[in-house]
Amino acid sequence: MNADIIPARTPAEIFLARAFDASKAGLPGTTDVAKWREASFKAFNVSGLPHRRIEAWHYTDLRTLMRDALPLATCQGGPTFDALRKEFTAARMPRQRIVLADGFFVQELSGGLPDGLKVRSLASVLTEGRADLIALLSSHDLAARDSIVSLNAALMQDGVVIEVAPGTVIAEPVNLIHVTASPTPAAHFSRSALIIGAGASLRLAESRHIANRAQMVGAGQANACLIVSLGDGAKLAHTAKVTATTPGGVRLESVMVRIGARAKFDSFALVAGIGLVRRQMFVRFEGVGAEALLSGVSLLRGREHADTTLLVEHVAPGCVSRETFKYILDEEATGVFQGKIHVAPGAQKTDGKMLCKAMLLSDRAAMNNKPELEIFADDVVCGHGATCGGLDVDQLFYLQTRGLPFAQAEALLLEAFAGELVDGIGHEGLIKAYRREVNAWLSARHGPTAAARGAIT
């Protein structure tokens, strides 16, 4: 149940209203797009920032957690891109890449893209006003009543529209790199679309990069949407590395996916080193015999907060979905997992399973699990589960008796816990990169867990 109670506006909501009024005339798009923006902000303004009385946001009270909003980011100039080019060269960034700097498409830093793949800026698409692309970009029906998605539609500044021609097979990852380039704290709103034609195949690898980290002042805010359309028989392997953010930052991500007949969608996300992040996915099976595998690992410490919320809609019959997520929480971190599998009338032969496992390394850490099934068909196989616990002290003791120091034994068990999902990515280079991120997080931990230390000494 959602309670439509709107208390007094917060400073963040007041600032966002003023920012929209001040910037809407300069935002890209046709007259129809401008009307869409107005309607979207009106929808946001009715409910305001999500709060705990809204069921889907009960465990992530954004109204309380984000008291202030930041000025909108501006597109950086040539000197910033020249410096970024040098950083990319030094860091050996992948050649096959698409770059967004503060949400703006940077063509001069993008390149190496294969045949059969077309990339345009969101701004150019909105200005062109092609009806089919605008309809896809809006995707009102996938995320109805979500005020953060509405806010993104109202304030979207740029992004990319990627089209993969039918039958095209792209084996190596196309890298979508999100760069934080603004030297001062700013908010950016990006919306991107990925259209994969019938029988085509693509691997999209999203990552983050902070430009000139040494001079970065304060934490930013991001509201990003990715809309995906999979044609019949198409395949998409998607990875998202939600790392390399500044402490205290806010990142809100919405992924909306339409899956055609016999198509396959695999998605993995690693969340680590963040302030507040919410990743919400709205996935709809619109064609028979399709498959989706959603998974992720969240590594949290300090007072970090990570929320993964899923809505998987089985509209067509004979589809398979698997959702598996793992959390490792230390110190005073908070994890949230909410997942709903909805099986519509007529979606017979649905096979859906959802599981979340959380490892708590501190008695001050908190995990909120809420898996749900909503079934309106009678010939289905569906299930869900959730577990929370600590490390097995017997396993720790066994490894110590074999000569491993406690910290190494603990790290080995935690790496295995997270690595099970990382190894399922299906690309050797990406698996190695994600394992390095996991190992770096484990290496940065301060000392053994209190519970385990007390149990075996």
Side-chain angles (χ1 to χ4, degrees), residues 357-407:
K357 295 182 177 181
M359 188 76 72
L360 278 70
L361 306 181
S362 164
D363 57 8
R364 295 171 295 162
M367 183 68 202
N368 301 286
N369 281 317
K370 188 188 172 191
E372 297 179 78
L373 297 176
E374 194 173 59
I375 301 173
F376 296 95
D378 56 9
D379 187 7
V380 302
V381 178
C382 293
H384 63 65
T387 65
C388 292
L391 286 169
D392 189 321
V393 294
D394 291 335
Q395 291 179 349
L396 282 168
F397 181 75
Y398 174 82
L399 291 174
Q400 287 181 275
T401 63
R402 296 304 184 267
L404 289 180
F406 179 90

Side-chain angles (χ1 to χ4, degrees), residues 317-367:
C319 296
V320 177
S321 67
R322 295 289 184 271
E323 298 83 35
T324 310
F325 289 80
K326 292 188 175 184
Y327 287 70
I328 300 177
L329 302 105
D330 200 2
E331 300 171 346
E332 298 178 69
T334 300
V336 178
F337 175 80
Q338 300 179 109
K340 177 186 285 188
I341 298 175
H342 171 89
V343 182
Q348 306 293 359
K349 305 297 182 182
T350 288
D351 184 352
K353 292 181 175 61
M354 178 180 294
L355 177 64
C356 179
K357 295 182 177 181
M359 188 76 72
L360 278 70
L361 306 181
S362 164
D363 57 8
R364 295 171 295 162
M367 183 68 202

Side-chain angles (χ1 to χ4, degrees), residues 20 135 166 188 196 213 333 356 370 438-439:
F20 178 69
H188 65 261
I196 302 181
R213 182 186 287 267
C356 179
K370 188 188 172 191
V438 172
N439 289 333

